[in-house]
C-alpha cells in the first residue's frame, strides 16, 4: 500500500513548539509600537527578518522566526544601546507585518530618512587602521543615525558624552538640552574614532582637544558640521554643531524683531561708514543676525568681505575668509589685507584684542561699514568693553554708530493650542500638551530674538568721549529711544509669541521694575518662582493690560474639575495589589510610573470618567469605586485652577491589563512597592489616604459617603 504524505504541521503549533523549545514567548505582532519601529530602520528589519515590538530605555523586544540569529541580536543591541529580547513568530507573518509597519502610510517616515546619509567629504582610502575595522559597518550606521536623527529634530548641537553608566546622546533644540538616547560604554572609543575620521581629526590623539569640520548630505541636502572633541574623565566628549542652511534664519524679519526694532536696525544698516556691534553671550544668535544683515546689504551691490573663525554658513556673492592662526592668518593680518581689496562692507567675526579693535575702528573711520561682535551683557557695556581692550574713548565715540544686544527665547508653537492632562502643580514640568508634530508636545517651535538697539546720538557721543560710566551712557541711549531686553521680551510675551518664564530665563528685569523688599506691590507681575516686579507707568498699553490681568488673577481665575486619577486596586488574601503604569518613551515624562489618569469629557461626571479611563488605559472593569480626595493645581497659561478628583477603583481577579499607546508597561505592585515606584508625590499621598480609608475592604462608618458604587 502506498505511503501517505505527512500532514503539514499547523503554523501555530510549530511556533508554539519553537517557543517552548527555546523558552521564549510567542510574539503578538499586532503590538508593534512607534518607538520600537523608530529604533530599527527598515533595512535592518528586512535584513534580519524581524519586527520591532516594544522598547524601553533598557530593552528592545523583537519578533523573529530564528531565535539562533546571534548576529541580529548583537547588531541591534549594539546600535540601539538596549538589551534585545526575542519573541517567536511565523516567518510569513513577520514578512507581512514588516510591510504593514514600514509601508503602512503614504508619507515619508523619519526612520527611513535617517538612512540616507552621505558623507560628502569622507575619503577614507589610505586612512590609518582604526578600531572601526573590528566592528564592521555597525559603527558607521550608528553615527549616520545619530547625525540624521539630530538634524531631523532641528538640533543645533549634538552632544555625545561618556558617563559612568554609558554614552549619553543629547540634543540642543531651540536652546534647550535634552537626553535623546543612551548607548553602551563599549561603543565609545569606536564611535569617537568614526566621528574623527569624517571630520578630519587625528584618531590616535585622545589626550588633546581637537576641532574639525565635516559635510554630510541628508536626503540629498548638504549640511555642514563643526566637530569639537574634549578629553574627559570617562573618555572623549564630542559636540557636533549642526550648520543646516535650511533651518537658518535668512532675513532680519525672520528673527522676530518688533517693528520699531527693525526700523532702528534698518537706520543703522543704512549708514555708509562706521562700526556696528552685535553683543551677547555664546549662542545668542549674533552671527545669525549679522548674516541676515549682510544679505540685506548685498542688495545694494556693494563689495562685502568677511573674516571669521569659523565660517558657519557659506554666503553666495560674499567673500569669506577663514582665520588660520597656525598659518599666521589672524583677524588682524586678514583685516590689513582686506583693506587693500576695495571693500565697502567688512564683517569681523569677533573683536578679541586691541589690535583687531584698532584696525576695525580705523576702517570704520575711513569710509567702510564694519560689522562685528562682542561678548557683553547689554548694549551700553560694549563701550566699556572696547575701553578695557585699550581703545581710546574719543575714537569709540566717533566710530560706533550703534550697538545691538541680543538674546534668544523659544517661540510659542502656533500649530498647537492649550495644555492637556496637566498632572498637578508639582508636575508642572511634566505638563502634557495636545499632540503636535511641530513642537513634539513642548509648546515651543523655533526661537525669536529679544534685542535692545542703541543708536548713536550727539549726547551718546559726548558721554562716551568724556569717559562717563556705563549707567550714564545707558541713560543717553534710553533717552534716544532704546528699549531694554526685558521690555522687548515682555512685549513678545504679552503678544503671545513666548512666555514670561522664557523671558525670565534669558533677561534680567529692569532695576526700575523690581519691587524692593518690604515695599507694596500694587502693580505686580507674578512668575512661577514667586518673584514680583512692578511695571513702570510708561510701559505700552499692551504690557499694561497684561500686568492688570495678572494682578487681578484672584478675581478672574476659574476653578473647574478637569481630570481624574484612579488608583486601581486588586484585593488579594495577602494584601492589595496596586496597578502601576509606565509611560511610553514618545510621551511626556517618558519612563515615569503613574496611576490611571485622564480628562473629564464635556458633560461627563468625574466618576464616569474614572470608569472610562480605567477601561481605556488598562482594559479593566471597575467593580467598586470610592472617592478618595481632590487635588488642586494651577494652570498658569490659562489662568485656571484645575481640580483633579482621585478615586480608588477595585477590580476583580480575572482579566489581564491591556495598556494604551501612552504606556509601555504595567505591573501589579504591593502597596509598599507602589509607594516606592510612583513618580509623582501627589499619587503616593493619594495611595496613603486610600489605604487609611479602605484597608478593611470598605470605608467603615463613612462607607455610605465614600463609596460611589
Amino acid at each position: 500500500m502506498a505511503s501517505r504524505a505527512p500532514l503539514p504541521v499547523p503554523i501555530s503549533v510549530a511556533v508554539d513548539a519553537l517557543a517552548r523549545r527555546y523558552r521564549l514567548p510567542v510574539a503578538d505582532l499586532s503590538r508593534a509600537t512607534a518607538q520600537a519601529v523608530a529604533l530599527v530602520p527598515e533595512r535592518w528589519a528586512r535584513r534580519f527578518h524581524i519586527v520591532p515590538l516594544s522598547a524601553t530605555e533598557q530593552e528592545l523586544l523583537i519578533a523573529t522566526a530564528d531565535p539562533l540569529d546571534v548576529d541580529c541580536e548583537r547588531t541591534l543591541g549594539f546600535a540601539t544601546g538596549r538589551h534585545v529580547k526575542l519573541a517567536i513568530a511565523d516567518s510569513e507573518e513577520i514578512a507581512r507585518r514588516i510591510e504593514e509597519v514600514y509601508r503602512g502610510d503614504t508619507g515619508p517616515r523619519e526612520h527611513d530618512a535617517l538612512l540616507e546619509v552621505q558623507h560628502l567629504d569622507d575619503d577614507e582610502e589610505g586612512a590609518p587602521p582604526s578600531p572601526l575595522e573590528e566592528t564592521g559597518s555597525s559603527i558607521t550606521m550608528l553615527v549616520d543615525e545619530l547625525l540624521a536623527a539630530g538634524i531631523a529634530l532641528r538640533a543645533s548641537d549634538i552632544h555625545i558624552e561618556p558617563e559612568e553608566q554609558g554614552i549619553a546622546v543629547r540634543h540642543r533644540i531651540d536652546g534647550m538640552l535634552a537626553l535623546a538616547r543612551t548607548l553602551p560604554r563599549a561603543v565609545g572609543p569606536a564611535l569617537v574614532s568614526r566621528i574623527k575620521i569624517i571630520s578630519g581629526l587625528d584618531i590616535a590623539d585622545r589626550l588633546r582637544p581637537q576641532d574639525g569640520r565635516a559635510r554630510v548630505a541628508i536626503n540629498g541636502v548638504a549640511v555642514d558640521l563643526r566637530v569639537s572633541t574634549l578629553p574627559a574623565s570617562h573618555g572623549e566628549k564630542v559636540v557636533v554643531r549642526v550648520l543646516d542652511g535650511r533651518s537658518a534664519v535668512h532675513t532680519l524679519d525672520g528673527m522676530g524683531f518688533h517693528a520699531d526694532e527693525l526700523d532702528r536696525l534698518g537706520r543703522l544698516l543704512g549708514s555708509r561708514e562706521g562700526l556696528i556691534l552685535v553683543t551677547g553671550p555664546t549662542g545668542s544668535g549674533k552671527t545669525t543676525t549679522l548674516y541676515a544683515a549682510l544679505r540685506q546689504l548685498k542688495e545694494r551691490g556693494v563689495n562685502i568681505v568677511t573674516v571669521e573663525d569659523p565660517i558657519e554658513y557659506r554666503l553666495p556673492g560674499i567673500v569669506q575668509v577663514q582665520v588660520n592662526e597656525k598659518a599666521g592668518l589672524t583677524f588682524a593680518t586678514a583685516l590689513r589685507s582686506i583693506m587693500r581689496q576695495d571693500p565697502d562692507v567688512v564683517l569681523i567675526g569677533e573683536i578679541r584684542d586691541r589690535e583687531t579693535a584698532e584696525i576695525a575702528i580705523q576702517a570704520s573711520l575711513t569710509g567702510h561699514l564694519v560689522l562685528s561682535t562682542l561678548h557683553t551683557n547689554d548694549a551700553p557695556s560694549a563701550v566699556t568693553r572696547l575701553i578695557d581692550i585699550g581703545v581710546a574713548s574719543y575714537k569709540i565715540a566717533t566710530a560706533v554708530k550703534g550697538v545691538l544686544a541680543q538674546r534668544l527665547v523659544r517661540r510659542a508653537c502656533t500649530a498647537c493650542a492649550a495644555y492637556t492632562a496637566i498632572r498637578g502643580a508639582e508636575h508642572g514640568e511634566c505638563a502634557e500638551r495636545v499632540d503636535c508634530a511641530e513642537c513634539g508636545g513642548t509648546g515651543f517651535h523655533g526661537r525669536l530674538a529679544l534685542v535692545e538697539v542703541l543708536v548713536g546720538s550727539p549726547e551718546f557721543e559726548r558721554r562716551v568721549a568724556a569717559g562717563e560710566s556705563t549707567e550714564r551712557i545707558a541713560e543717553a541711549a534710553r533717552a534716544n529711544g532704546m528699549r531694554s531686553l526685558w521690555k522687548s521680551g515682555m512685549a513678545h510675551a504679552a503678544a503671545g509669541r513666548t512666555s514670561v518664564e522664557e523671558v525670565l530665563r534669558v533677561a534680567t528685569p529692569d532695576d526700575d521694575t523690581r519691587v524692593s523688599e518690604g515695599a507694596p506691590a500694587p502693580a505686580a507681575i507674578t512668575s512661577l518662582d514667586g518673584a514680583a516686579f512692578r511695571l513702570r507707568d510708561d510701559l505700552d498699553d499692551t504690557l499694561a493690560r497684561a500686568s492688570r490681568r495678572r494682578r487681578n488673577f484672584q478675581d478672574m481665575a476659574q476653578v473647574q474639575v478637569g481630570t481624574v486619577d484612579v488608583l486601581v486596586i486588586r484585593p488579594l488574601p495577602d494584601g492589595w495589589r496596586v496597578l502601576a503604569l509606565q509611560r511610553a518613551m514618545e510621551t511626556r515624562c517618558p519612563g515615569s510610573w503613574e496611576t490611571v489618569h485622564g480628562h473629564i469629557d464635556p458633560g461627563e461626571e468625574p466618576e464616569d470618567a474614572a470608569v472610562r479611563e480605567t477601561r481605556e488605559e488598562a482594559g479593566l472593569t471597575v467593580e467598586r469605586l470610592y472617592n478618595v480626595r481632590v487635588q488642586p493645581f494651577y494652570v498658569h497659561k490659562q489662568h485656571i485652577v484645575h481640580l483633579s478628583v482621585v478615586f480608588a477603583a477595585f477590580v476583580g481577579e480575572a482579566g489581564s491589563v491591556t495598556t494604551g499607546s501612552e504606556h509601555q508597561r504595567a505591573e501589579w505592585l504591593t502597596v509598599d512597592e507602589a509607594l516606592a515606584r510612583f513618580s509623582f508625590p501627589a499619587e503616593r499621598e493619594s495611595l496613603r489616604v486610600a489605604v487609611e480609608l479602605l484597608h478593611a475592604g470598605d470605608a467603615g462608618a463613612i462607607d455610605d459617603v465614600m463609596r460611589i458604587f
Side-chain angles (χ1 to χ4, degrees), residues 492-505:
H492 280 302
R497 301 185 191 99
T498 189
S499 67
V500 176
E501 290 71 29
E502 276 294 296
V503 178
L504 285 167
R505 184 172 61 84

Side-chain angles (χ1 to χ4, degrees), residues 34 39-40 389 572:
L39 281 173
V40 181
I389 289 175
L572 298 177

Side-chain angles (χ1 to χ4, degrees), residues 128-293:
S130 76
L132 298 179
E133 295 178 353
E134 300 177 3
T135 58
S137 61
S138 297
I139 284 291
T140 299
M141 291 188 294
L142 177 58
V143 171
D144 288 353
E145 289 191 23
L146 293 179
L147 295 177
I151 294 170
L153 293 172
R154 302 182 298 108
S156 61
D157 299 88
I158 302 171
H159 292 239
I160 300 172
E161 304 175 358
E163 298 178 344
E164 188 172 355
Q165 301 301 323
I167 307 296
V169 180
R170 293 184 171 89
H171 293 161
R172 187 178 296 280
I173 302 174
D174 294 335
M176 305 297 287
L177 200 62
L179 179 66
R181 64 190 295 185
T182 301
L183 303 172
R185 282 199 64 185
V187 308
L191 183 64
V192 173
S193 294
R194 171 60 186 169
I195 295 174
K196 283 183 175 181
I197 286 175
I198 66 174
S199 53
L201 302 180
D202 185 357
I203 65 172
D205 189 352
R206 300 183 178 181
L207 301 179
R208 292 185 302 172
Q210 298 186 60
D211 295 295
R213 298 183 70 93
R215 172 170 283 196
V216 299
I218 304 297
N219 294 334
V221 178
V223 176
D224 289 315
L225 307 175
R226 198 169 75 207
V227 179
S228 173
T229 67
L230 179 69
S233 58
H234 295 294
E236 289 182 278
K237 174 182 176 177
V238 178
V239 175
V240 180
R241 169 65 59 88
V242 179
L243 306 174
D244 188 355
R246 297 171 300 173
S247 60
V249 176
H250 297 290
T251 65
L252 291 172
D253 290 340
M255 294 291 295
F257 297 141
H258 295 294
D260 61 319
E261 295 165 350
L262 271 175
D263 180 66
R264 291 169 67 83
L265 182 55
R267 295 208 308 269
L268 289 178
L269 295 177
S271 304
R272 299 296 172 177
E273 59 185 22
L275 177 62
I276 300 174
L277 297 170
V278 180
T279 74
T282 301
S284 59
K286 301 186 297 295
T287 302
T288 302
T289 298
L290 286 175
Y291 279 6

Side-chain angles (χ1 to χ4, degrees), residues 348-369:
I348 305 171
E350 181 183 352
I351 294 179
R352 300 178 179 177
D353 51 41
R354 177 179 178 179
E355 186 179 15
T356 304
E358 290 281 6
I359 298 174
I361 288 181
Q362 186 62 35
S364 69
L365 295 174
T366 55
H368 304 89
L369 181 61

Side-chain angles (χ1 to χ4, degrees), residues 12-95:
S12 59
V13 175
V15 170
D16 289 341
L18 190 63
R20 287 196 303 271
R21 171 66 178 82
Y22 292 101
R23 298 180 181 179
L24 294 172
V26 175
D28 182 357
L29 294 177
S30 66
R31 297 294 300 277
T33 66
Q35 182 199 5
V37 173
L39 281 173
V40 181
E42 180 182 350
R43 65 175 180 181
W44 287 0
R46 294 185 182 279
R47 172 184 172 185
F48 296 117
H49 199 64
I50 58 98
V51 174
L53 298 178
S54 63
T56 67
E57 290 184 355
Q58 294 81 29
E59 296 179 348
L60 171 67
L61 176 63
I62 65 171
T64 179
D66 183 4
L68 300 180
D69 190 348
V70 178
D71 183 50
C72 167
E73 185 177 355
R74 182 174 60 244
T75 301
L76 292 180
F78 181 77
T80 64
R82 290 164 169 81
H83 173 66
V84 177
K85 299 180 67 176
L86 307 180
I88 303 299
D90 175 66
S91 179
E92 293 183 1
E93 290 297 315
I94 288 177

Side-chain angles (χ1 to χ4, degrees), residues 623-690:
E623 294 184 350
R624 287 184 293 142
L625 188 68
Y626 287 86
N627 178 20
V628 175
R629 66 197 293 247
V630 176
Q631 176 70 28
F633 56 92
Y634 171 47
V635 186
H636 65 278
K637 294 290 185 182
Q638 302 173 9
H639 298 284
I640 294 176
V641 174
H642 263 295
L643 299 180
S644 181
V645 185
V646 183
F647 296 93
F650 288 84
V651 298
E653 190 69 30
S656 60
V657 177
T658 304
T659 59
S661 60
E662 291 184 0
H663 299 101
Q664 63 185 0
R665 189 176 172 189
E667 288 190 17
W668 290 104
L669 307 174
T670 65
V671 171
D672 290 340
E673 290 171 341
L675 290 172
R677 188 74 63 86
F678 283 147
S679 301
F680 301 116
E683 294 178 341
R684 297 195 291 268
E685 182 60 29
S686 296
L687 180 55
R688 293 188 184 97
V689 173

